[in-house]
């Protein structure tokens, strides 16, 4: 249909607006150009056309008019309230009377499976679907069932691709000639490739009628031939098989077909040179292809070693090579042969029945005593303990010294065996003394009979005596400050060395002090002070010739005006000193830092003090 006959209106892609339907059911206008444009809008409009493609008018229901006449030819009335008139005919705007067909003149399209049909020019209707007789490959049964696997690209083995022909009605006929692979080849048919893998008789033992060589042609053997029958190789016809062994009487014989002539023969044709075993004491003999190597006369061959007649077994003189009696083993030596086995504990040894007979079959050691062994010592060749064995011990005790700081000491003396006798009469050790009991500073070691103990002693540790014997002994440390009564009580409770202790008196201090003359107050080295205390008959008393010396200027420890054995001194009150026992009811004190004594007005003050006792020595 020529598009120039139409009046083109509207958007070429969208189609023009449909014409309002009327009593005659006229067609909508056709869109210009484009493809598949659809007209929209007016009610009752017919189909619009865009180029050569029919467009459908939108905007109403097809055949929705209320008229009673048949549908207009060539278009659909839709929407609106218009109606079609009976017998009215649709057409183009230029030629309202021209007919509207199903297709365009000479238009061709595919149909069926493989055919085509053409649009009739006159009627604008499609003609019959016509096949062209063309063919294509196929992979299915004639009933249309798919065959297993993938359609091969070319024939292989028994497998072929099927063929379908396009029939006159435009449809394919049945697939003919397609042959699918079998699970395996037919072993009964030579060259069969039913599984279509390109390998004939694949998986078969052999092809029918095929032949092959069998056996070997090595040595004396000869190959035969086998024929395939019913997938089985037949017997090896014409074969000469191998024998169990080569002949040792024919040089070069290879009857066992192993490629080694006379391979099982030690020697051939009684030639003894092949039987040489390179052993100096054997003969080389070949008999019927068998080598033997008997031991030569005058020799023994024992354990692979050659021995001359009369030779002793190494390490056992009771065995000898007797070539006249036994060439392959040892013979017993005469009983006159000595066989010392190197063992001391079994005594002298002699041969007997091929073995060493010992002088002592039981224990050689029979001595008794602290150093005797019950079992013989083979390593030392001895029946006695070594001289390092302690056979006796005795303990000793002593005091380390007789003075202060002496401790109880002990040691253990050890007596050792002599090494060559059963008696305990060897060397005696001289070990060092070791402290077994450490006596404290107030005790010394004392012996009472055989007993030793730590005994408390005045003058040791926390006490000091003015002389070795007689006089006074003093405590050597300050116990802390107390009142006169507190100091008196403290001293009376002391038990050092088991002595009776008391608070020191002013006379005790004055007799002890040194380094101050007590008259001028001048320090005088180690000279005893002449400062004295005088007590009258009424119980009163006074200090005579007493003056203070320079503080801490004495010869004692820390500048004290007493001997260094008393230790250091400490005065915490500048007007005080060390308490002494009360004189005539009046408290007195002594100041060791200035070397003088004096009265003190109150008994409530607290000073340092020292305790004294009579020297018990």
């Amino acid at each position: 249909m020529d598009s120039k006959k139409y009046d083109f209106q509207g958007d070429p892609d969208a189609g023009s607006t449909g014409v309002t339907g009327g009593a005659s059911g006229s067609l909508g206008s056709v869109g210009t150009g484009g493809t598949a444009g659809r007209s929209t809008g007016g009610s009752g409009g017919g189909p619009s056309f865009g180029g050569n493609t029919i467009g459908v008018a939108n905007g109403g229901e097809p055949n929705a008019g209320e008229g009673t006449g048949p549908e207009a030819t060539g278009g659909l009335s839709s929407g609106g309230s218009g109606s079609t008139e009976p017998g009215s005919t649709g057409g183009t705007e230029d030629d309202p009377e021209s007919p509207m067909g199903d297709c365009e003149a000479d238009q061709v399209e595919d149909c069926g499976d493989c055919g085509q049909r053409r649009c009739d020019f006159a009627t604008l209707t499609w003609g019959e679907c016509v096949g062209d007789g063309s063919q294509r490959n196929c992979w299915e049964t004639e009933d249309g069932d798919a065959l297993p696997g993938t359609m091969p690209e070319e024939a292989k083995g028994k497998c072929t691709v099927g063929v379908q022909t396009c029939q006159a009605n435009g449809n394919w006929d049945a697939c003919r000639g397609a042959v699918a692979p079998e699970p395996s080849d037919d072993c009964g048919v030579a060259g069969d490739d039913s599984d279509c893998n390109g390998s004939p008789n694949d998986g078969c033992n052999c092809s029918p009628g095929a032949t092959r060589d069998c056996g070997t042609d090595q040595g004396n053997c000869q190959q035969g031939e086998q024929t395939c029958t019913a997938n089985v190789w037949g017997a090896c016809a014409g074969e000469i098989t191998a024998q169990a062994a080569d002949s040792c009487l024919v040089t070069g014989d290879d009857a066992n077909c192993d490629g080694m002539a006379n391979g099982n023969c030690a020697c051939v044709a009684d030639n003894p040179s092949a039987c040489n075993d390179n052993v100096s004491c054997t003969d080389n003999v070949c008999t019927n292809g068998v080598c033997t190597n008997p031991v030569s006369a005058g020799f023994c061959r024992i354990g692979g070693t050659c021995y001359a007649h009369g030779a002793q077994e190494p390490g056992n003189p009771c065995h000898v090579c007797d070539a006249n009696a036994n060439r392959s083993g040892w013979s017993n030596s005469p009983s006159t042969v000595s066989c010392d086995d190197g063992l001391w504990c079994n005594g002298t040894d002699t041969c007997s029945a091929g073995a060493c007979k010992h002088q002592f079959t039981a224990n050689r050691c029979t001595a008794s005593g602290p150093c005797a062994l019950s079992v013989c010592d083979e390593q030392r060749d001895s029946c006695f303990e070594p001289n390092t064995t302690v056979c006796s011990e005795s303990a000793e005790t002593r005091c380390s010294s007789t003075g202060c700081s002496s401790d109880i000491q002990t040691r253990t003396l050890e007596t050792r065996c002599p090494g060559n006798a059963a008696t305990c009469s060897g060397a005696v050790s001289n070990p060092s003394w070791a402290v077994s009991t450490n006596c404290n500073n107030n005790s010394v070691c004392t012996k009472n009979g055989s007993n030793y103990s730590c005994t408390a002693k005045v003058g040791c540790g926390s006490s000091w005596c003015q002389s070795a014997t007689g006089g006074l002994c003093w405590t050597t440390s300050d116990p802390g400050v107390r009142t006169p009564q507190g100091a008196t009580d403290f001293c009376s409770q002391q038990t050092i060395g088991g002595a009776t202790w008391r608070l020191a008196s002013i006379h005790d201090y004055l007799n002890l002090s040194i380094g101050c003359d007590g008259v001028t107050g001048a320090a005088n080295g180690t000279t005893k002070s002449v400062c004295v205390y005088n007590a009258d008959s009424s119980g009163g008393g006074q200090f005579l010739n007493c003056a203070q010396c320079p503080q801490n200027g004495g010869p004692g420890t820390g500048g004290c005006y007493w001997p260094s054995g008393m230790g250091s001194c400490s005065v915490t009150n500048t007007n005080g000193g060390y308490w002494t026992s009360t004189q005539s009811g009046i408290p007195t004190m002594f100041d060791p830092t200035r070397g003088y004594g004096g009265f003190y007005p109150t008994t409530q003050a607290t000073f340092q003090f020292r305790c004294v006792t009579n020297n018990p020595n």
Side-chain angles (χ1 to χ4, degrees):
M1 182 179 296
D2 190 349
S3 62
K4 292 181 180 181
K5 295 171 61 179
Y6 295 95
D7 181 16
F8 299 110
Q9 299 177 9
D11 185 359
D13 289 328
S16 64
T17 304
V19 180
T20 303
S24 62
S26 61
L27 298 174
S29 59
V30 179
T32 60
T35 57
R38 294 178 181 270
S39 63
T40 60
S43 61
S48 63
F49 293 80
N52 292 329
T53 304
I54 299 174
V56 179
N58 298 328
E61 294 294 328
N63 300 324
E66 296 179 358
T68 59
E71 180 180 356
T73 303
L76 298 176
S77 63
S78 63
S81 60
S83 64
T84 59
E85 294 294 330
S88 63
T89 302
T92 66
E93 290 184 353
D94 292 342
D95 184 8
E97 298 300 322
S98 64
M100 184 70 178
D102 296 335
C103 54
E104 297 178 13
D106 292 333
Q107 181 182 356
V108 178
E109 71 175 5
D110 293 337
C111 60
D113 294 333
C114 55
Q116 287 186 331
R117 64 180 180 176
R118 184 178 298 275
C119 183
D120 185 83
F121 181 83
T123 64
L124 298 181
T125 59
W126 291 107
E128 295 293 329
C129 187
V130 179
D132 61 359
S134 61
Q135 292 183 327
R136 71 173 185 181
N137 292 339
C138 57
W139 190 245
E140 60 187 25
T141 66
E142 292 188 10
D143 295 333
D145 297 330
L147 293 177
T150 305
M151 181 172 67
E153 296 181 359
E154 59 183 10
K156 184 180 291 186
K158 285 187 174 183
C159 298
T160 59
V161 178
V163 176
Q164 287 180 304
T165 302
C166 187
Q167 301 177 98
N169 61 4
N171 292 321
W172 295 109
D173 67 351
C175 183
R176 292 179 172 83
V179 179
E182 299 293 335
S184 61
D185 296 343
D186 186 352
C187 295
V189 179
D192 181 75
D193 189 16
S194 294
D195 61 3
C196 304
N197 65 355
S199 299
N201 296 120
D202 183 35
C204 302
N205 289 330
C206 55
S207 299
T211 60
R212 69 178 183 182
D213 292 336
C214 54
T216 180
D217 57 1
Q218 186 168 255
N220 297 357
C221 294
Q222 179 177 312
Q223 284 186 318
E225 185 179 77
Q226 288 178 297
T227 302
C228 181
T229 303
N231 197 33
V232 177
W233 288 108
C236 189
E239 178 189 19
I240 297 178
T241 60
Q243 303 301 309
D246 298 341
S247 171
C248 295
L249 300 178
V250 179
T251 301
D253 184 73
D254 188 14
N256 64 0
C257 305
D258 62 356
M260 298 177 60
N262 303 117
N264 59 326
C265 302
C267 57
V268 181
D270 294 339
N271 180 10
S273 61
C275 299
N276 186 4
D277 61 356
N278 295 316
V279 177
S280 61
C281 62
T282 60
D283 298 329
N284 304 319
V285 180
C286 177
T287 304
N288 295 329
V290 178
C291 282
T292 56
N293 301 97
V295 179
S296 303
F299 291 92
C300 297
R301 190 180 185 204
I302 305 171
T305 303
C306 294
Y307 297 95
H309 177 73
Q312 291 182 340
E313 178 185 8
N316 184 7
C318 295
H319 279 167
V320 66
C321 167
D322 186 349
N324 299 324
N326 182 8
R327 296 184 184 182
S328 60
W330 295 110
S331 300
N332 294 334
S333 299
S335 58
T336 56
V337 175
S338 175
C339 59
D340 187 2
D341 58 3
L343 300 178
W344 182 84
C345 290
N346 57 19
T348 303
D349 306 311
T350 55
C351 290
S352 175
C356 223
K357 183 178 180 181
H358 309 301
Q359 177 184 2
F360 300 104
T361 57
N363 187 15
R364 178 174 183 168
C365 301
T366 58
S368 61
C371 293
L373 291 175
S374 59
V375 178
C376 182
D377 187 341
E378 189 66 58
Q379 290 184 341
R380 297 187 302 110
D381 294 347
S382 177
C383 288
F384 307 106
E385 293 282 358
N387 59 9
T388 57
T389 301
V390 176
C391 54
S392 175
E393 294 181 341
S394 61
E396 289 185 339
T397 306
R398 74 174 187 179
C399 290
S400 61
S401 67
T402 58
C404 295
S405 300
S406 65
D407 299 315
I408 302 175
Q409 294 181 328
T410 58
R411 67 176 183 175
T412 300
L413 300 179
E414 296 177 341
T415 302
R416 289 172 170 76
C417 292
N420 56 2
T423 59
C424 185
S425 56
V428 179
S429 64
N430 184 27
S432 300
W433 291 94
V435 175
S436 62
T437 303
N438 188 357
C439 298
N440 60 37
N441 291 335
N442 295 327
S443 301
V444 294
C445 174
T446 59
K447 179 181 179 183
N448 184 9
S450 60
N451 298 322
Y452 291 81
S453 63
C454 292
T455 304
K457 183 177 181 180
V458 175
C460 293
S462 60
S463 62
W464 168 80
C465 296
Q466 291 178 246
S467 60
T469 59
L472 296 177
C473 294
W474 296 71
T475 56
T476 57
S477 62
D478 295 338
V481 297
R482 285 175 172 76
T483 64
Q485 186 59 50
T488 300
D489 294 340
F490 178 87
C491 290
S492 65
Q493 296 169 4
Q494 296 305 299
T495 59
I496 300 173
T500 299
W501 294 83
R502 59 180 175 80
L503 181 63
S505 70
I506 188 62
H507 295 288
D508 297 332
Y509 279 110
L510 293 175
N511 290 330
L512 177 70
S513 64
I514 57 174
C516 179
D517 64 11
V519 177
T520 65
N524 60 4
T526 58
T527 304
K528 193 168 183 61
S529 173
V530 296
C531 177
V532 296
Y533 174 80
N534 181 43
D536 58 22
S537 58
S538 64
Q542 57 181 331
F543 286 94
L544 303 175
N545 301 325
C546 283
Q548 295 184 19
C549 290
Q551 188 173 16
N552 297 324
T557 303
C560 295
Y561 289 95
W562 60 26
S564 58
M566 290 287 289
S568 63
C569 55
S570 174
V571 176
T572 58
N573 191 316
T574 56
N575 296 320
Y578 278 63
W579 281 128
T580 68
S581 57
T582 302
Q583 302 298 317
S584 302
I586 301 175
T588 56
M589 61 81 186
F590 177 77
D591 185 353
T593 65
R594 295 180 175 86
Y596 84 106
F599 296 103
Y600 202 79
T602 177
T603 60
Q604 300 306 312
T606 56
F607 295 148
Q608 295 284 4
F609 60 94
R610 294 292 176 91
C611 304
V612 296
T613 187
N614 294 325
N615 189 342
N617 299 317

